[in-house]
Amino acid sequence: MLQDEARAHVPLTLLDRFCRAVFAACGADAPTADAATRAMMHGTRYGVDSHGVRLLDHYVTAMQGGRINRTPRLRKVAGLGAVETLDADDAHGALAAYTAMTHATELATQFGIGAVAIRNTSHFGPAGAYSLEAAKRGFIGITFCNSDSFVRLHDGAQRFHGTNPIAVGVPSAGDNPWLLDMATSSIPYNRVLLYRSLGQPLPDATASDEGGHDTKDPHAAAMLAPLGGEFGFKGAALGGVAEIFSAVLTGMKLSFDIASMGGPDFSTPRGMGAFVLALKPEAFLEKSVFEGAMTRYLNTLRNSPAREGARVMAPGDREWEVAAERERQGVVLDPATRQSFADLANRLGVTQPFA
């Protein structure tokens, strides 16, 4: 690696330290700084860059404006057996989701299943972070969230659903978890912003202009297409699943009622909802049977025949490989993110250790 290239790679440890320092400097309490940093670092570590540290400046803007409560008091407001409702007090979405998943796994330890509906939360970043947290503890974790409208319906010509992610993490003995983290849109909106900052065209059939027609120009993208291309009715329906769990079941705002993530109002809380679920495999069958079946499933999947020049991968395999490389080499920040970090450091008086 050339010397200039080596300097361009920022160690993950330094990114983590910088993010925590920035949150502290803008007045966030320790739990908020920890959760928000962990969620962003999940995105950056595993290659979900659209939901990684590039969001730091946005979160600071939302905290300083009042949209996100920097010192929230999360509390249980309802519950029945294995079910709980958590009021997040307009906390950063990562703090709400990590807290809810902890509660869900505690409930699942007792009941075999734990379900937590989250009220009054905000953007939580990568949904996979919370399902992975459950899987690391030996539980199957499922996470839903809706967001402000940016995805048209199948054959639609206006924004309707948010990108409405669904994430599932499943533990696998002696191996990395099986991890699905998907937007129900063709791509997440933050990826449009990422492609804009990189000056790259969008993939085919992922975004539409104001008339609902496909466009590859990230600057012309007025809405996203639902997952599925010509069969986008499937993605639109999956977006509805996330909508029902996140908004209808929590009593929070539907996607088309949520204020835009990009502002201009950063003073009013967005009133978002989310939902997490944890399942204890041993509540359904012997642990050894579950682990044996997962091992055989993954081994067979990864060793199944592939097309010429291709490779069959399980959900999560790409992320583990990206994480191993970035743990070793660090990560290259796009120019816009580097500039936003420099501005934050100057404005908040925080040392930027990798400038």
Side-chain angles (χ1 to χ4, degrees), residues 8-9 17 57 65 71 73 99 205 262 275 344 346:
H9 286 76
R17 186 188 314 165
D57 184 63
T71 57
R73 288 175 170 264
T99 301
F275 189 93
L344 283 169
N346 182 62

Side-chain angles (χ1 to χ4, degrees), residues 260-339:
S260 171
M261 179 176 174
D265 179 8
F266 285 97
S267 62
T268 305
R270 299 171 79 201
M272 295 175 66
F275 189 93
V276 301
L277 180 69
L279 301 169
K280 184 178 181 179
E282 303 95 296
F284 298 87
L285 77 174
E286 292 83 358
K287 184 176 182 180
S288 60
V289 176
F290 172 80
E291 292 179 344
M294 279 301 298
T295 297
R296 182 167 183 269
Y297 169 66
L298 289 172
N299 286 342
T300 305
L301 184 157
R302 290 176 178 133
N303 291 294
S304 62
R307 294 181 297 177
E308 184 177 354
R311 172 188 168 201
V312 175
M313 303 176 76
D317 283 354
R318 183 195 69 85
E319 286 85 345
W320 316 133
E321 291 183 358
V322 170
E325 179 181 354
R326 292 185 173 186
E327 290 283 0
R328 183 174 62 254
Q329 295 185 351
V331 63
V332 177
L333 300 175
D334 65 90
T337 299
R338 274 193 172 271
Q339 184 59 55

Side-chain angles (χ1 to χ4, degrees), residues 7 19-20 28-29 50 98 104-105 109 114 123 145 228 300 304 311 313 329 347 355:
R7 283 200 298 266
C19 291
R20 292 174 187 273
D29 61 19
S50 58
Y98 276 127
T105 56
T109 298
H123 187 266
C145 186
T300 305
S304 62
R311 172 188 168 201
M313 303 176 76
Q329 295 185 351
R347 190 166 80 242

Side-chain angles (χ1 to χ4, degrees), residues 154-174:
H154 184 59
D155 288 337
Q158 71 173 43
R159 301 178 183 185
F160 191 83
H161 286 135
T163 52
N164 292 17
I166 299 172
V168 182
V170 184
S172 178

Side-chain angles (χ1 to χ4, degrees), residues 27-274:
D29 61 19
T32 297
D34 176 66
T37 298
R38 286 168 60 199
M40 288 192 304
M41 290 304 299
H42 172 100
T44 295
R45 176 174 285 105
Y46 293 108
V48 192
D49 293 313
S50 58
H51 287 66
V53 295
R54 62 174 299 277
L55 291 172
L56 180 62
D57 184 63
H58 169 79
Y59 289 146
V60 169
T61 298
M63 288 180 182
Q64 292 184 322
R67 170 188 285 183
I68 296 175
N69 188 346
R70 289 174 278 189
T71 57
R73 288 175 170 264
L74 283 68
R75 61 193 180 93
K76 174 183 174 180
V77 293
L80 176 64
V83 173
E84 178 180 312
T85 299
L86 178 73
D87 189 308
D89 193 25
D90 302 316
H92 188 286
L95 177 60
Y98 276 127
T99 301
M101 188 59 84
T102 295
H103 291 190
T105 56
E106 290 170 349
L107 289 167
T109 298
Q110 180 180 0
F111 297 105
I113 185 171
V116 180
I118 309 170
R119 295 177 181 171
N120 296 313
T121 185
S122 61
H123 187 266
F124 69 11
Y130 317 109
S131 294
L132 179 59
E133 190 73 11
K136 286 179 176 179
R137 300 177 187 178
F139 299 86
I140 297 174
I142 304 175
T143 304
F144 299 99
C145 186
N146 72 327
S147 56
D148 51 304
S149 295
F150 205 81
V151 185
R152 63 173 173 81
L153 296 172
H154 184 59
D155 288 337
Q158 71 173 43
R159 301 178 183 185
F160 191 83
H161 286 135
T163 52
N164 292 17
I166 299 172
V168 182
V170 184
S172 178
D175 197 359
N176 289 312
W178 184 96
L179 180 65
L180 167 71
D181 184 354
M182 57 169 278
T184 51
S185 57
S186 52
I187 56 175
Y189 172 57
N190 278 322
R191 191 159 297 171
V192 173
L193 299 181
L194 178 63
Y195 277 58
R196 284 180 187 172
S197 68
L198 296 174
Q200 296 180 357
L202 295 167
D204 289 327
T206 58
S208 306
D209 61 19
E210 289 287 355
H213 304 293
D214 286 352
T215 180
K216 296 177 70 174
D217 181 357
H219 295 282
M223 63 191 82
L224 300 174
L227 183 68
E230 293 184 11
F231 300 92
F233 57 87
K234 298 181 181 181
L238 285 174
V241 171
E243 192 82 17
I244 291 166
F245 275 92
S246 303
V248 177
L249 198 56
T250 64
M252 291 288 99
K253 292 181 179 179
L254 295 161
S255 288
F256 41 77
D257 295 323
I258 298 173
S260 171
M261 179 176 174
D265 179 8
F266 285 97
S267 62
T268 305
R270 299 171 79 201
M272 295 175 66

